[in-house]
Amino acid sequence: MNIHEYQARELFRQAGIPVPDGEVATTPAEVEEIARRLGGGVVVKAQVHAGGRGKAGGVKLAQSPEEARAAAEQILQLTIKDLPVQKVLVAPIVDIASESYLGMIMDRESQRPVIMVSPAGGIDIEEVAATTPEKIFKLAIDPRYGLLSHQAMGLAFALYHDVKQVRAAARIMEQLYQAFVTNGASLAEINPLITTSAGEVLAIDAKMSLDDNVVDRRPDLEALRDESAEAPSEVLAREAGLTFIKLDGNVGCVVNGAGLAMATMDLVKYYGGEPANFLDIGGSSNPEKVVSALRIITMDPNIKAILFNIFGGITRTDDVANGIVAALDQFSVDVPIVIRLTGTNEDEALAILEGVGKTALKDMDEAVQQVVRVAQEAA
Amino acid sequence: MNIHEYQARELFRQAGIPVPDGEVATTPAEVEEIARRLGGGVVVKAQVHAGGRGKAGGVKLAQSPEEARAAAEQILQLTIKDLPVQKVLVAPIVDIASESYLGMIMDRESQRPVIMVSPAGGIDIEEVAATTPEKIFKLAIDPRYGLLSHQAMGLAFALYHDVKQVRAAARIMEQLYQAFVTNGASLAEINPLITTSAGEVLAIDAKMSLDDNVVDRRPDLEALRDESAEAPSEVLAREAGLTFIKLDGNVGCVVNGAGLAMATMDLVKYYGGEPANFLDIGGSSNPEKVVSALRIITMDPNIKAILFNIFGGITRTDDVANGIVAALDQFSVDVPIVIRLTGTNEDEALAILEGVGKTALKDMDEAVQQVVRVAQEAA
Amino acid sequence: MSIFVDRETKLVVQGITGRDGSFHTRQMMEYGTQVVAGVTPGKGGRRFEDAVPIFDTVADAVAETGADTSVIYVPPAFAIGAMFEAADAGVKLIVCITEGLAVIDMTKVLPFLQERGVRLIGPNCPGIISPGQSKVGIIPGNICAPGNIGLVSRSGTLTYEVVDQLTRHGLGQSTCVGIGGDPLIGTNFIDCLEAFENDPDTTGIVMLGEIGGTDEQQAAEYVRNHLTKPVVGFIAGQTAPPGRRMGHAGAIISGSSGTAAEKMAAFEDAGIGVMKRPVEVVDLLKARM
Amino acid sequence: MSIFVDRETKLVVQGITGRDGSFHTRQMMEYGTQVVAGVTPGKGGRRFEDAVPIFDTVADAVAETGADTSVIYVPPAFAIGAMFEAADAGVKLIVCITEGLAVIDMTKVLPFLQERGVRLIGPNCPGIISPGQSKVGIIPGNICAPGNIGLVSRSGTLTYEVVDQLTRHGLGQSTCVGIGGDPLIGTNFIDCLEAFENDPDTTGIVMLGEIGGTDEQQAAEYVRNHLTKPVVGFIAGQTAPPGRRMGHAGAIISGSSGTAAEKMAAFEDAGIGVMKRPVEVVDLLKARM
C-alpha cells in the first residue's frame, strides 16, 4: 500500500527523523491559514500516489499566505497521472545547502532490506542511477543485527565530510530502518535529504510503501489508506477479500490464483479479446467471495461477457459453483457467462451447476476462445 | 543493582505481564488504608534486598484492614539479614491453584540469557534444583532471534496441560524476556507463577537484578536505586565513581583493580591483619578519586592504618600521588599510611610524594606486612 | 528419482486439525504420502483419522516419529512461528502453504533456516509433488503422473494447468515444485534447476514465471551456463497493467522493471523454449527432447 | 613464538586521539608494536604523532594498511559499535580495553564475531603482550621480559603484580593475556590454555582467577584432560565478603557459588600448583618445570 507524503512524514517523525513542520489541507482557505501560521515562505505540494509531481506542476513555492492560497487553488485542480489532487501539504521553505538521496527497499535478491544513499540527490536520482551508478552506495542489512552504527556511519561518510553531519545522517539512517521495520515497509525514501546552510541535516520529502500483509494486521496503518484515491470497485473488492484491478476491456475474468489470472488475461488477448479486469478470488475461496466477485465485475458497463477460469487445488470448485448459483439467485447478470472448472471436487461442482441449468468446460484454451467469441458477438 | 519486589512488579507490568494490583507503603496507617481500598484479604510483604523473607516473618496474610495494619507494624520493625525493613508491599490475596517457577538469568557459559521453568515452584525451588534437577527446564536464548514463540510454548507445556494456560504462560515468558532485555537485567524471576482456580496465569512475586552498566546510562532505572538500603559510605563511594564495600577490619585498603584489591585483602589476612574494606579506584583514575577514596575510608572509626597498593598500567601512579597530596592538604588523616606504588610514571609519582615528605615501597608483599604491623601497633 | 521429496519422505503436518490442514492431509494420505505426525498445540495425544498421532509440538513429533519434512497449513499469524519451530525441531525440508505472511518477518526466518541447513519451499505456494511417490502440499494428485519432466513454478493454479497438459499428453513428471509468488521465498528457480539437472530421472524441465523481480532473468542465465537438459518456459502477465511502481528505489535496485517481455527475451537468449500459451508446453518440450 | 600477537601483528587503534588511546598508543609504539593505523571518525586524513595515518572508519584503515588486529580505547557508549565495526572490517583479533559495557549488548556482539571467525580479548581487560614482539593494550611493557611462561588472567593489575614477580626472578613470558573480568568475554581461560599448550615456546603456564562464575573450575578440568605443560594458579578473593547473591537462578544455573575455596580445590584436584600469595608464583613454577 502506498501512503501519502504527509503520512510518511508522520511515520518518520515517530521514528525521530527530523522533518520540518507541515500540515495537510484540502481547501485553498485552509492552505492560506496554515501558511499564515507557519510564517515566511511555504511550499505547497500535491498529495497523490504518483511520482513526478514537480514536473506536473504539483509543487509550488509561495512567499505569502495569499500566494499559498493561489498556488493551492491551481494544484487542487490538477490531475496527475489520472489521479485528481484532493489534498496538499503545506510546509515552510527550507534553505538548502546540499541535496542527497536516502532510500531503503526490501530486496528480493539479498532477501534483506537494502539501504541506498547518494550524494547526488534530488529529482534526477534515477538519472544518476542509470548513468553514474558509482554514485549510489548500497548495503544489505542483516535483520538479525539491524543497521549497525558503523554501517550507517560508513554510508554517511559517502554523503558528508563534516563529522557532525555524518553523525546526524547516520542517526537518520538508523531511524529510517526502525520506521521501515516497525511499519513493515517495502520502500522508504527521503529525497532529498538536505543540509541547511546552518549545517542541519533534514528530511525534506518522505515516501513510503507498506506491505499489505502488515497493513492487514495493523489498524493504525490501515487507517492511512486513502480510499478516495482508489476506484470504488477496487475498494469493494478489497473489502470482500479479493484482488482486483480494473482495466479497459470487455471480457470480465474471475480466476483463482494470480498467475492463472494473468495467464487467462494473456490468453484472452491472444485470441483477440480485451480483458476487463484482473481478479483473483484467492486460495481458500468460499461461495460468498464468488458472489462479491460477480457483483463487482458486473458494475462495469463495458462488460460483454464473463469468464470463470477455476482450477481447483485448495480452492474447491464446488464452493465456486455454489457461489455462482447464489449470485444468480441474488441478482441478474445480463451478459453471457462462460465457466471453466476443473480440479478439486469438480464432479460435485458440475452437479451443482447442472442443477441450475448451467454447463462448464474443462479446457482453458477452449473456454477463452469461447468467451472471446461471445463478447465479440455481443459488442 | 538489586531492585525491590514492588519495583520489579512495575517493570513486569510495563512489559505486559499480568501482576495483581498492589501498593507500597512505609507506615502501618498507609497499609491499613491500602488494604481498605483493595478490599478483601491482603498479603503484606517486607521490601528488602534479601531472600528468605517469608521464613524471617517478613510476609504476613491479613483478612481485614486492621489485621493488615497489625501485620505491617510487626514487619516494619524487622531486620532481615542485617537490613531494616522500611517499606512493605500490600497486595490482594490471590486464590492459588498451582505454583510454578519462571526465571531468567544472564548465563556466562552459553553467553546468552537462559530461561528456566519448573512446575515445582514456590519457596523450595532451590531444593528442587538440588534434588530433582530433571524438574527444571532450561533454554539458552539466541539474542539474534529473541525468545521464539515455539520455544516459549515448549517450556510452557512443561508447566501446564491446558492449552489456554500454556499460551498465557508462553506469552508471559516472551514478556519477561522483553523486560529482561529492555532493562539490562542480569536476573529476573517470577516465583511463584501461579494459576488461579479460575484458570488465570499470574505473576505473584517479582525479582530483578539490573546490570550496573545499564543503570548508569538510564536515569529511569537509576531512579529505582534505594539508597536507604545501603551504607552511607557506599553511597558516597558510588557517587565518586569508586567500587567500595565496607568490612569489619582495621586496615583500610585503596587499590587499583578489583583483582589486585581482592589479592591485597587476601594478603592482609594472610599476614594476620583484617581488611576494613574493599576499594577499587578503577582504571582511568584521576586525583579527585583518590581524594574521595581517602575521605570515605577515614570515615570508618575502626581504621588503624591505610594501605595504598597501586600497580600503574592505565592508572598513572603520578595521578594517585597527586591525589594523596591533595587529600592531605584538604583534611588531616590521623592514621599511618603505607604507600606501595609501581608502574606507569612511577618516577614522577615518587618525586611528588617526596615533595611532601612521603616515601613509597615498590613491593606488595613488603607493603602489606608493614601495614599489618603498624595497624597492630596502633590497635 | 525425483527432487526434494520421494517415497521415503516422512511428513509432519503443522495445523493438521484446521479446515485446510485436515482436508489436505486426507488428500496427501490418500495419495500415499507417509504422513507420520500432525501438530496442533493442545491436541497432543489424539489421533487424526484414527491413524496419525497428533503432538503439541513439532519437537515431540520429530522425536517420536522421525519426521524429516514439515508442511505448514496454520493461519498467517502463526506461520512464521511454525517455520522457526519446524527448523528448530530438526526437519530438513519445510513446505509453507500459508499465504499472507509479512515480508519483514520472512527476513528473520530465512537466516535461521540457513544456519540450520533447512530448505524451505514457499511460503504462499502450492507445495511439491513427486508423482507416484509423495505429495506435500495442495497440488491435486489426480492431474499428475509419474514421468521425467521436472516443473518449477512461481504460481499455484497455473502450475496445475500446465501439469494437466503434460499428463494428458503422456508427459509424466519427476517432481513439480510450486516455489510461491512472494517477494522472499526459500527455494528459487535456480535451486530447482540445479536439482533437476542432477536428477538422472529428469529429462526435460518446465519453468513457469511471472512479471516482477528478476528471478527469471537470473534463472535464464543459470540455464545458459549450467544446464544440459532441455528447458521450456512461460511468463504470466504479458498483458498485465503496468504494476505499481516501487518509487526510485525499485528501479535502482533491480536495474529492471521486470516486465514479461524482458523475461521472455531472457528466456529466448538462454535457449529456453518460450510458450505463448499454456497448451504449447507439450509441443515445445517434445521438439526439444 | 607466542600466542595471538607477535612481531607480524599489524595494529589499528580505535579511539587513537582520545586521552587513553593516545597515551597508550605512544606506549605501544615505543614498545615496538607495529601500529599501522588509527581511527577517529572525522579525523580521517590526519596523522598521529606525524607517523600513524588516521582514518574515519576501520574499513578504510584495513583497506589502506592491511591491519589485522584492532585495539579499542573508545568510551563505553561507542565500544560495542567499535567491535562490530572492527569485525566487519575484517580484522582477525580485537582487543577491547574499554570497561563499563552492558552485558546485554555483549550478547549481540559475540555471535557476530563468531560468525566471522574473529577472536575478541576482553572487554574490560588490560590487553595482551608478547614480550619483545608486540604489546596490544595497556600492560606495562617494562615489567615484562621475553621468555617461556604463558600467563592468562581475569584481572588487570594483579596480572602486572605477578608478571613483575616472574620477570624479576628471571622467568620471561611468551605471552601474557588479560582476558577481562566481565561476565561475558570473548576469550576465556581454556582458549588460552589450548593456545599455550600448542605454542612450542611456552614451557609453563600461570592462571590468575577470581571468585564468581565457574570458569576456573572448567579450566581446571581442561588442564587435567588436555595439558602436558606445568600450570600454577591463583584465585583472588579468598577473604572477599560473600558476594551479593544472584537469587535462586544464580545457584540453579551455576550449580555452584563460585567461591575461592571451591576454585582452589578444583585447581588442586587438576594438579595445578596453587599460589597462596602472588610472590609464590616463582617457586611453584620452578618446582614444576
Side-chain angles (χ1 to χ4, degrees):
Chain A
M1 180 176 96
N2 291 320
I3 60 175
H4 287 301
E5 177 189 5
Y6 75 92
Q7 297 169 322
R9 279 170 134 252
E10 186 49 37
L11 294 180
F12 285 4
R13 268 176 185 261
Q14 284 169 13
I17 296 173
V19 178
D21 289 339
E23 291 179 52
V24 73
T26 55
T27 67
E30 279 178 86
V31 169
E32 184 177 345
E33 199 186 309
I34 293 167
R36 186 157 288 127
R37 198 158 51 229
L38 290 173
V42 297
V43 57
V44 184
K45 303 169 86 174
Q47 301 294 289
V48 283
H49 293 149
R53 291 174 304 172
K55 289 170 185 164
V59 178
K60 290 188 190 297
L61 300 182
Q63 296 305 331
S64 69
E66 295 72 24
E67 272 183 50
R69 182 189 187 112
E73 267 160 9
Q74 291 184 295
I75 294 171
L76 284 165
Q77 280 168 12
L78 291 176
T79 294
I80 301 176
K81 294 185 183 162
D82 289 342
L83 297 166
V85 178
Q86 298 175 321
K87 290 176 187 166
V88 292
L89 172 70
V90 189
I93 293 177
V94 178
D95 133 54
I96 296 179
S98 76
E99 294 192 326
S100 300
Y101 171 83
L102 169 55
M104 205 170 281
I105 192 169
M106 186 59 76
D107 177 40
R108 286 163 176 261
E109 197 169 341
S110 63
Q111 304 196 315
R112 295 177 174 187
V114 164
I115 180 170
M116 290 170 290
V117 302
S118 176
I123 53 171
D124 293 325
I125 182 68
E126 286 181 76
E127 176 76 12
V128 172
T131 59
T132 51
E134 71 280 5
K135 288 191 184 161
I136 309 258
F137 300 85
K138 298 179 198 177
L139 177 87
I141 301 169
D142 186 337
R144 298 172 305 166
Y145 296 101
L147 178 61
L148 296 166
S149 58
H150 75 275
Q151 297 172 328
M153 287 287 285
L155 290 166
F157 271 116
L159 302 183
Y160 306 121
H161 293 294
D162 180 274
V163 75
K164 268 166 63 185
Q165 293 182 340
V166 169
R167 288 199 195 280
R171 199 173 151 76
I172 290 171
M173 291 177 205
E174 294 179 46
Q175 291 162 332
L176 187 68
Y177 180 69
Q178 279 314 312
F180 190 94
V181 170
T182 309
N183 299 299
S186 49
L187 168 87
E189 269 187 342
I190 299 173
N191 186 26
L193 179 75
I194 65 138
T195 54
T196 64
S197 52
E200 270 183 303
V201 182
L202 297 176
I204 289 299
D205 195 11
K207 178 179 268 183
M208 224 172 173
S209 300
L210 306 179
D211 181 344
D212 290 324
N213 292 334
V214 174
V215 173
D216 279 353
R217 67 192 189 195
R218 284 268 300 272
D220 60 323
L221 298 179
E222 182 60 47
L224 300 179
R225 190 185 295 282
D226 182 3
E227 295 195 337
S228 71
E230 296 176 274
S233 55
E234 293 187 7
V235 175
L236 272 178
R238 195 184 46 255
E239 283 165 0
L242 305 168
T243 311
F244 174 81
I245 299 172
K246 201 186 151 339
L247 301 171
D248 296 330
N250 58 13
V251 177
C253 301
V254 183
V255 190
N256 66 322
L260 188 60
M262 288 192 287
T264 304
M265 291 157 61
D266 293 348
L267 205 57
V268 166
K269 181 97 174 175
Y270 181 88
Y271 282 116
E274 284 295 337
N277 64 277
F278 167 95
L279 194 157
D280 172 13
I281 58 169
S284 276
S285 70
N286 63 38
E288 205 44 56
K289 277 196 181 178
V290 176
V291 174
S292 303
L294 261 178
R295 204 185 288 274
I296 288 161
I297 283 194
T298 52
M299 286 167 67
D300 181 353
N302 295 333
I303 291 268
K304 295 291 179 242
I306 294 171
L307 169 66
F308 272 80
N309 184 14
I310 305 296
F311 205 124
I314 203 163
T315 306
R316 305 190 199 170
T317 57
D318 53 336
D319 281 346
V320 176
N322 278 323
I324 294 171
V325 171
L328 296 177
D329 205 41
Q330 288 173 33
F331 53 91
S332 72
V333 176
D334 301 332
V335 297
I337 302 178
V338 175
I339 303 170
R340 185 278 178 127
L341 223 153
T342 190
T344 310
N345 293 6
E346 66 177 64
D347 293 340
E348 292 85 334
L350 292 174
I352 291 162
L353 291 174
E354 270 170 30
V356 295
K358 291 270 169 194
T359 57
L361 300 169
K362 291 194 70 167
D363 184 78
M364 170 175 169
D365 213 79
E366 193 185 335
V368 171
Q369 289 184 52
Q370 191 177 109
V371 79
V372 169
R373 195 165 56 242
V374 300
Q376 281 163 347
E377 286 165 7
Chain B
M1 182 177 98
N2 290 321
I3 61 175
H4 288 301
E5 177 188 8
Y6 75 93
Q7 298 169 320
R9 280 171 133 248
E10 186 50 36
L11 294 180
F12 285 4
R13 267 177 187 260
Q14 284 168 15
I17 296 173
V19 178
D21 290 337
E23 291 178 53
V24 72
T26 54
T27 67
E30 280 178 87
V31 169
E32 183 176 347
E33 197 186 309
I34 293 167
R36 187 158 287 127
R37 200 158 51 228
L38 290 173
V42 296
V43 56
V44 183
K45 302 169 87 175
Q47 301 293 289
V48 282
H49 294 149
R53 292 174 303 171
K55 288 169 185 163
V59 178
K60 292 190 188 295
L61 299 182
Q63 295 307 329
S64 68
E66 294 72 24
E67 270 184 51
R69 182 189 187 112
E73 268 162 9
Q74 290 184 296
I75 293 172
L76 284 166
Q77 282 169 9
L78 290 177
T79 294
I80 301 177
K81 295 188 184 160
D82 289 339
L83 297 166
V85 179
Q86 298 175 319
K87 291 176 187 166
V88 292
L89 171 70
V90 189
I93 294 177
V94 179
D95 132 54
I96 295 178
S98 76
E99 293 191 327
S100 301
Y101 171 84
L102 169 56
M104 203 169 283
I105 192 169
M106 185 61 75
D107 177 39
R108 287 163 176 260
E109 197 169 342
S110 64
Q111 303 195 314
R112 295 176 175 188
V114 164
I115 180 170
M116 291 169 289
V117 303
S118 176
I123 54 171
D124 292 326
I125 183 66
E126 286 181 76
E127 177 76 12
V128 172
T131 59
T132 51
E134 72 280 4
K135 287 192 185 162
I136 310 259
F137 301 85
K138 297 180 198 177
L139 177 86
I141 301 169
D142 186 337
R144 300 173 305 166
Y145 297 101
L147 178 61
L148 296 166
S149 58
H150 74 276
Q151 296 171 329
M153 288 286 285
L155 290 166
F157 272 115
L159 302 182
Y160 307 120
H161 293 295
D162 179 276
V163 76
K164 268 166 64 185
Q165 293 182 341
V166 169
R167 286 197 195 281
R171 199 173 153 76
I172 290 171
M173 290 177 206
E174 294 179 46
Q175 290 162 332
L176 187 69
Y177 180 69
Q178 280 314 312
F180 189 93
V181 170
T182 310
N183 300 300
S186 49
L187 168 87
E189 270 187 340
I190 298 173
N191 186 26
L193 178 75
I194 65 137
T195 55
T196 65
S197 52
E200 269 183 302
V201 182
L202 297 175
I204 289 299
D205 195 9
K207 177 179 270 186
M208 224 173 174
S209 301
L210 306 179
D211 181 344
D212 289 324
N213 292 333
V214 174
V215 173
D216 280 350
R217 67 192 190 195
R218 285 268 302 272
D220 60 322
L221 298 179
E222 182 61 46
L224 300 180
R225 190 184 297 282
D226 182 3
E227 296 195 336
S228 71
E230 296 176 275
S233 55
E234 294 187 8
V235 175
L236 272 179
R238 194 182 49 253
E239 284 165 0
L242 305 167
T243 312
F244 174 81
I245 298 171
K246 199 183 151 346
L247 301 172
D248 296 330
N250 58 12
V251 177
C253 301
V254 182
V255 190
N256 65 324
L260 188 60
M262 287 191 288
T264 304
M265 291 157 61
D266 294 347
L267 204 57
V268 166
K269 182 97 174 176
Y270 181 88
Y271 282 115
E274 285 292 339
N277 64 277
F278 168 95
L279 194 157
D280 173 13
I281 60 168
S284 276
S285 70
N286 62 39
E288 205 44 57
K289 277 195 181 177
V290 177
V291 175
S292 303
L294 261 179
R295 205 185 287 275
I296 288 160
I297 283 194
T298 52
M299 287 168 65
D300 181 353
N302 295 334
I303 290 268
K304 295 290 178 244
I306 295 171
L307 169 66
F308 272 81
N309 185 15
I310 306 295
F311 205 124
I314 203 162
T315 306
R316 304 191 200 168
T317 57
D318 53 335
D319 280 347
V320 176
N322 277 323
I324 295 172
V325 171
L328 296 178
D329 205 41
Q330 289 174 33
F331 53 92
S332 70
V333 176
D334 302 334
V335 296
I337 303 178
V338 175
I339 303 171
R340 184 280 177 124
L341 224 152
T342 190
T344 310
N345 294 5
E346 68 179 61
D347 293 341
E348 292 87 333
L350 292 174
I352 291 162
L353 290 174
E354 269 170 32
V356 295
K358 291 269 169 193
T359 56
L361 299 169
K362 292 193 70 167
D363 186 80
M364 170 174 169
D365 214 77
E366 193 185 333
V368 170
Q369 290 184 51
Q370 191 176 110
V371 79
V372 169
R373 195 165 53 241
V374 299
Q376 282 163 346
E377 286 164 8
Chain C
M1 279 266 295
S2 57
I3 70 169
F4 306 151
V5 300
D6 59 27
R7 60 186 94 252
E8 306 302 320
T9 297
K10 293 171 118 180
L11 187 68
V12 51
V13 179
Q14 293 180 256
I16 194 169
T17 56
R19 184 185 134 108
D20 290 340
S22 57
F23 177 83
H24 288 287
T25 300
R26 264 177 236 116
Q27 302 250 315
M28 291 188 290
M29 290 166 72
E30 278 168 27
Y31 194 76
T33 304
Q34 282 196 60
V35 179
V36 298
V39 171
T40 297
K43 298 198 175 161
R46 304 188 195 175
R47 280 182 180 266
F48 176 78
E49 301 275 290
D50 292 331
V52 179
I54 302 177
F55 299 89
D56 286 324
T57 68
V58 182
D60 288 350
V62 168
E64 293 291 321
T65 68
D68 55 18
T69 298
S70 158
V71 62
I72 293 173
Y73 293 103
V74 305
F78 298 98
I80 293 287
M83 287 187 265
F84 275 117
E85 179 173 9
D88 217 6
V91 304
K92 285 295 151 209
L93 173 66
I94 300 170
V95 179
C96 183
I97 308 303
T98 309
E99 65 179 313
L101 304 195
V103 176
I104 198 75
D105 295 336
M106 284 303 299
T107 65
K108 297 260 174 70
V109 171
L110 291 170
F112 190 86
L113 304 191
Q114 278 153 15
E115 286 169 14
R116 285 158 183 76
V118 178
R119 173 176 299 285
L120 168 68
I121 296 176
N124 187 15
C125 80
I128 176 170
I129 184 167
S130 293
Q133 300 193 63
S134 187
K135 156 182 154 140
V136 176
I138 64 173
I139 298 175
N142 60 316
I143 59 172
C144 303
N148 305 105
I149 303 301
L151 183 142
V152 51
S153 170
R154 269 171 74 181
S155 156
T157 44
L158 177 58
T159 308
Y160 312 161
E161 194 66 52
V162 173
V163 169
D164 194 41
Q165 292 291 332
L166 293 173
T167 299
R168 282 202 268 151
H169 293 86
L171 291 174
Q173 304 89 41
S174 51
T175 301
C176 302
V177 193
I179 58 177
D182 275 8
L184 265 49
I185 53 178
T187 294
N188 62 22
F189 282 119
I190 293 175
D191 297 323
C192 296
L193 290 170
E194 185 184 7
F196 283 132
E197 177 71 18
N198 295 330
D199 173 30
D201 282 355
T202 297
T203 56
I205 300 168
V206 179
M207 277 176 66
L208 305 179
E210 282 180 10
I211 51 171
T214 56
D215 284 14
E216 289 82 357
Q217 289 91 318
Q218 288 156 30
E221 196 57 29
Y222 187 86
V223 168
R224 185 212 306 277
N225 296 328
H226 301 283
L227 255 65
T228 60
K229 299 179 180 177
V231 182
V232 306
F234 180 78
I235 302 292
Q238 300 160 46
T239 57
R244 274 126 187 157
R245 287 209 29 177
M246 294 197 72
H248 298 306
I252 294 168
I253 192 72
S254 66
S256 153
S257 45
T259 62
E262 205 175 314
K263 295 184 181 212
M264 290 164 83
F267 277 9
E268 296 274 7
D269 286 354
I272 297 172
V274 178
M275 303 147 62
K276 303 253 175 335
R277 295 175 296 152
V279 286
E280 294 174 10
V281 66
V282 173
D283 290 346
L284 275 172
L285 260 181
K286 284 190 170 163
R288 282 156 193 268
M289 285 170 66
Chain D
M1 279 269 292
S2 57
I3 69 169
F4 306 151
V5 299
D6 58 27
R7 59 186 94 252
E8 305 302 320
T9 297
K10 294 170 116 181
L11 187 68
V12 51
V13 179
Q14 292 180 256
I16 194 168
T17 57
R19 183 185 136 107
D20 289 341
S22 57
F23 178 82
H24 288 288
T25 300
R26 263 177 237 116
Q27 303 249 316
M28 290 189 289
M29 290 167 72
E30 278 168 27
Y31 194 76
T33 304
Q34 282 197 60
V35 179
V36 298
V39 171
T40 298
K43 298 199 176 163
R46 304 187 196 176
R47 279 181 181 269
F48 177 77
E49 301 275 290
D50 292 331
V52 180
I54 303 177
F55 298 89
D56 286 323
T57 68
V58 183
D60 288 349
V62 168
E64 294 291 321
T65 68
D68 56 17
T69 298
S70 159
V71 63
I72 293 172
Y73 292 103
V74 305
F78 298 98
I80 293 287
M83 286 187 264
F84 275 117
E85 179 173 10
D88 216 6
V91 304
K92 285 294 151 210
L93 173 66
I94 299 171
V95 180
C96 184
I97 308 302
T98 309
E99 65 178 314
L101 305 194
V103 176
I104 197 76
D105 295 336
M106 284 303 298
T107 65
K108 296 259 173 71
V109 171
L110 291 169
F112 190 86
L113 304 191
Q114 278 152 15
E115 287 169 14
R116 284 159 183 76
V118 178
R119 174 177 297 288
L120 169 69
I121 296 176
N124 188 13
C125 80
I128 176 170
I129 184 167
S130 294
Q133 301 194 63
S134 187
K135 154 183 156 139
V136 177
I138 64 173
I139 298 175
N142 60 315
I143 59 173
C144 303
N148 305 106
I149 303 300
L151 183 143
V152 51
S153 170
R154 270 171 73 180
S155 156
T157 44
L158 177 59
T159 308
Y160 313 161
E161 194 66 52
V162 173
V163 170
D164 193 43
Q165 292 292 332
L166 293 173
T167 299
R168 283 203 267 154
H169 293 87
L171 290 174
Q173 305 89 41
S174 52
T175 302
C176 303
V177 194
I179 58 176
D182 276 9
L184 264 50
I185 53 177
T187 294
N188 62 22
F189 282 119
I190 293 175
D191 297 324
C192 296
L193 290 170
E194 184 184 8
F196 283 133
E197 176 71 15
N198 294 330
D199 173 31
D201 282 357
T202 297
T203 55
I205 300 169
V206 179
M207 277 176 66
L208 305 179
E210 284 180 9
I211 50 169
T214 56
D215 284 14
E216 289 81 357
Q217 289 91 318
Q218 288 157 29
E221 196 56 30
Y222 187 86
V223 167
R224 184 212 307 275
N225 296 328
H226 301 283
L227 255 64
T228 60
K229 300 179 180 177
V231 183
V232 305
F234 179 77
I235 302 291
Q238 299 161 45
T239 57
R244 275 128 184 156
R245 288 209 29 175
M246 295 197 73
H248 298 307
I252 293 170
I253 193 71
S254 67
S256 153
S257 46
T259 62
E262 205 174 315
K263 294 181 183 216
M264 289 164 83
F267 277 8
E268 295 274 9
D269 285 354
I272 297 171
V274 178
M275 301 147 63
K276 303 252 176 337
R277 294 175 297 149
V279 287
E280 293 173 11
V281 66
V282 173
D283 289 345
L284 275 172
L285 260 181
K286 285 191 171 160
R288 283 157 194 266
M289 284 169 66

